[in-house]
Amino acid sequence: MGGFRYVRTPIPEDPGEGRKTGFDEILHAYTKEEAVLEAQRCLECAMPFCVQACPITQDCRGYIMLIAQERFDDAARLTIRDNALATVLCKTCYHYCEEDCVMGGRGTPIAIRHLKRAALEFGKSELLYVASAPRDQRVAIVGGGPTGLAAAWELSLRGYPVTVYEEQKFLGGQIETIPRYHLEGTELDTDLARFRNLDVTFVGDKKAGVDFTPESLLADGYRAVFVAIGASDPRALGIPGEHLPGVFPALPFLLAANKGPDGLIGRKNRRVVVIGGGDVALDAARSALRLSESKDVTVVYRRAKEAMPAGSEEVGEGEGEGLRFVLERAPVRVLGTRQVEGIVLQRVDVGPPDATGRPTTVLVEGTEETLRCDTVIVAVGELADLTGFPKELNLSPVDHPWPQGKRPDWMSDVEGVFAAGGKSVVYAMAAGSKAAEAIDAYLSKKAGKASTPRPDPLGGSKSPPLPDGYGGPTWQL
Ligand SMILES: Cc1cc2nc3c(=O)[nH]c(=O)nc-3n(C[C@H](O)[C@H](O)[C@H](O)COP(=O)(O)OP(=O)(O)OC[C@H]3O[C@@H](n4cnc5c(N)ncnc54)[C@H](O)[C@@H]3O)c2cc1C
Ligand code: SF4
Ligand code: SF4
């Protein structure tokens, strides 16, 4: 321990100017020395709120203690043991753990997510997961995003043969839309390489509702089916003109920006308006800034900046890169004849609170104004696409945009079919794990066996040699 240092070891990052033109990663890894220095700020709390706050209960205190002792190989091993998508999460996780880190009360929380990256960069991370003895009950998973992948990991570790059916030709789901300045694009492959010895088969280009249904998978001999299709169908604005060429939903735009050099809008002199105030809107706007030569990108949001659902880091960084914000305005009409020529906005006032207590918004008559633009990107949320899914499953989303089984164990109204999802990568993984536990309990009961806790994913009983006197988190969640 290096005494109390309340201020975080700065995370190296690119200066703002180059960011407007390129998709190079913004945050850079700590050096080994910086990582050790930062880890030594940790108080090694007996009751680690950081671990409690992590949706997958990653033993972050453990890997931080190991880094503090310069034991990077052990830190990498501990990280990978708890976390099937550690390489993805060390760059994209919204670090819920840091919100509850006790150092945050006095100064800056420990850089828990960035230290995960240091563990993987400097420790030996090319490890392979080890399966338990094989079982004869096959499980099908529909959807290869983080929910489905975490479930595949959990179930295959317990010995179940798993097949993941995915509509796209690639895995990752919405992870593939995260801009390259956050995630280079090779991280998921790095994580999936550790699955090599698990009995998981990925089948791409197969869409549930078209090529098969959950019930047809049961009829094909799968003993359980997990629907993990997320929510990717764009919500419409519901205003005239939104079908004009030049109006794009955010997700296909971001996917194209990642998969092709120019994205959907082309590297032209575009004037872009992005509608929405969440992280997806900010990702779309910051990507558009990099793709458009005019650098003329405006975010339109119906509430005040403080009420934006996007993280304040994301908003601040976007502003620094040159995004403009038009706030407390809502779009009422997209202008144009053959393509977008502008968008009409109207002022929005705060109305009475809704059922959840959040103030509603009301349009103010006589306040219309026109913003000239040739591209509109719509980022006002997504819903699950359940076309072709039998109604008996009763999967229509209620509290979440993704489909979820209505029973407490997330089983649907059809026996053996489960469904779940999550609001971020780590929450999606937690949902996948919880569903896998429920599926294991269901199948074990059918086979007359006891359900099994997750075996040590790396084999052995205590895979990483832990710091002296370390007993793991001192309570169970
Ligand atoms: C632009 C963007 C940026 C984001 N940035 C972050 C971030 O930085 N950090 C973070 O933690 N979270 C981020 N998120 C949120 C996170 O990616 C999602 O919460 C998470 O991916 C949800 O996981 P999921 O597996 O439930 O769904 P998805 O990721 O949507 O995966 C569902 C999968 O199912 C497939 N599928 C859908 N329908 C069918 C069908 N009928 N048949 C077969 N397959 C089907 C889809 O193709 C997809 O691969 C971001 C999301 C977006 C859109
Ligand atoms: S996975 Fe996310 S919430 Fe969990 S310890 Fe890592 S950064 Fe924190
Ligand atoms: S809460 Fe913060 S200081 Fe305490 S163990 Fe976790 S990271 Fe370290």
Side-chain angles (χ1 to χ4, degrees):
M1 289 266 298
F4 294 109
R5 273 182 293 114
Y6 293 114
V7 179
R8 177 178 285 186
T9 313
I11 296 175
E13 63 177 276
D14 259 358
E17 208 34 51
R19 294 186 194 171
K20 292 179 199 167
T21 48
F23 279 85
D24 290 348
E25 266 190 291
I26 293 175
L27 298 184
H28 299 296
Y30 277 142
T31 61
K32 261 188 180 181
E33 294 70 29
E34 286 168 337
V36 172
L37 202 64
E38 177 63 8
Q40 287 176 346
R41 285 205 312 127
C42 172
L43 303 177
E44 302 178 0
C45 305
M47 187 172 283
F49 293 122
C50 50
V51 182
Q52 187 177 20
C54 173
I56 55 168
T57 335
Q58 168 99 71
D59 186 359
C60 43
R61 179 187 63 167
Y63 72 66
I64 293 170
M65 288 168 74
L66 289 163
I67 293 174
Q69 296 173 15
E70 302 182 43
R71 292 166 61 186
F72 284 96
D73 284 350
D74 293 337
R77 204 175 166 83
L78 185 60
T79 302
I80 290 163
R81 186 197 68 179
D82 294 347
N83 190 333
L85 302 180
T87 321
V88 169
L89 280 178
C90 78
K91 295 183 181 179
T92 61
C93 188
Y94 294 136
H95 44 73
Y96 305 97
C97 50
E98 293 177 21
E99 280 164 33
D100 283 13
C101 168
V102 293
M103 281 300 268
R106 283 284 185 84
T108 352
I110 306 298
I112 302 174
R113 185 187 76 185
H114 215 58
L115 287 173
K116 195 192 311 296
R117 178 168 173 177
L120 300 178
E121 297 237 350
F122 301 122
K124 184 175 174 340
S125 58
E126 302 85 14
L127 305 169
L128 292 176
Y129 290 124
V130 180
S132 311
R135 303 177 62 142
D136 58 6
Q137 294 157 298
R138 292 191 298 140
V139 180
I141 295 176
V142 184
T147 304
L149 293 174
W153 181 65
E154 294 277 3
L155 288 163
S156 59
L157 287 173
R158 290 172 170 85
Y160 295 100
V162 175
T163 308
V164 178
Y165 291 94
E166 167 55 53
E167 132 181 49
Q168 301 286 351
K169 292 194 171 76
F170 51 84
L171 293 168
Q174 292 184 3
I175 291 175
E176 293 301 294
T177 60
I178 299 177
R180 294 288 180 248
Y181 55 83
H182 284 316
L183 202 61
E184 276 180 317
T186 55
E187 295 83 353
L188 182 65
D189 290 342
T190 304
D191 286 330
L192 292 181
R194 298 189 197 103
F195 283 47
R196 198 182 318 139
N197 291 343
L198 301 180
D199 191 353
V200 183
T201 308
F202 297 113
V203 181
D205 217 3
K206 291 282 176 225
K207 185 172 166 69
V210 175
D211 300 307
F212 59 88
T213 63
E215 286 98 325
S216 73
L217 293 173
L218 290 177
D220 284 349
Y222 291 103
R223 299 305 172 89
V225 176
F226 178 40
V227 177
I229 60 170
S232 299
D233 222 24
R235 279 182 212 261
L237 290 170
I239 59 172
E242 73 173 310
H243 301 297
L244 280 167
V247 180
F248 303 106
L251 262 54
F253 163 72
L254 285 163
L255 193 61
N258 279 348
K259 301 281 177 197
D262 292 340
L264 280 177
I265 63 171
R267 198 171 272 278
K268 294 188 196 140
N269 210 25
R270 295 287 194 174
R271 285 173 303 167
V272 182
V273 168
V274 178
I275 310 292
D279 284 309
V280 175
L282 266 289
D283 281 345
R286 295 177 70 188
S287 297
L289 201 66
R290 287 159 169 81
L291 290 170
S292 147
E293 281 173 7
S294 67
K295 309 294 167 211
D296 184 348
V297 181
T298 306
V299 176
V300 173
Y301 181 55
R302 56 178 32 238
R303 297 175 192 268
K305 196 180 282 175
E306 309 77 63
M308 286 179 104
S312 53
E313 273 174 32
E314 199 76 20
V315 175
E317 287 179 6
E319 240 169 353
E321 291 166 6
L323 287 185
R324 267 198 315 277
F325 289 87
V326 172
L327 300 163
E328 293 164 348
R329 300 285 186 281
V332 288
R333 203 159 54 252
V334 181
L335 299 175
T337 44
R338 279 181 301 160
Q339 63 173 56
V340 174
E341 290 167 16
I343 186 158
V344 178
L345 308 176
Q346 204 168 329
R347 225 185 66 216
V348 173
D349 260 358
V350 175
D354 63 14
T356 67
R358 194 177 192 216
T360 52
T361 52
V362 283
L363 293 173
V364 181
E365 290 302 322
T367 59
E368 288 193 356
E369 59 193 293
T370 299
L371 202 58
R372 289 286 155 201
C373 63
D374 47 36
T375 304
V376 175
I377 300 174
V378 183
V380 292
E382 290 78 32
L383 270 179
D385 176 7
L386 286 167
T387 313
F389 279 72
K391 296 239 174 329
E392 306 76 70
L393 290 163
N394 189 19
L395 287 182
S396 310
V398 182
D399 298 330
H400 318 283
W402 56 83
Q404 194 153 296
K406 304 289 184 287
R407 285 185 16 172
D409 64 354
W410 293 339
M411 198 190 275
S412 71
D413 287 9
V414 171
E415 189 187 327
V417 179
F418 298 73
K423 64 178 179 179
S424 65
V425 175
V426 74
Y427 268 104
M429 290 172 66
S433 289
K434 183 179 156 187
E437 280 166 24
I439 291 168
D440 175 52
Y442 166 73
L443 292 179
S444 297
K445 193 169 170 198
K446 289 217 143 205
K449 294 181 183 168
S451 56
T452 40
R454 182 199 297 162
D456 186 328
L458 294 167
S461 55
K462 264 212 182 303
S463 45
L466 291 162
D468 295 339
Y470 182 80
T474 43
W475 32 256
Q476 290 291 309
L477 289 177

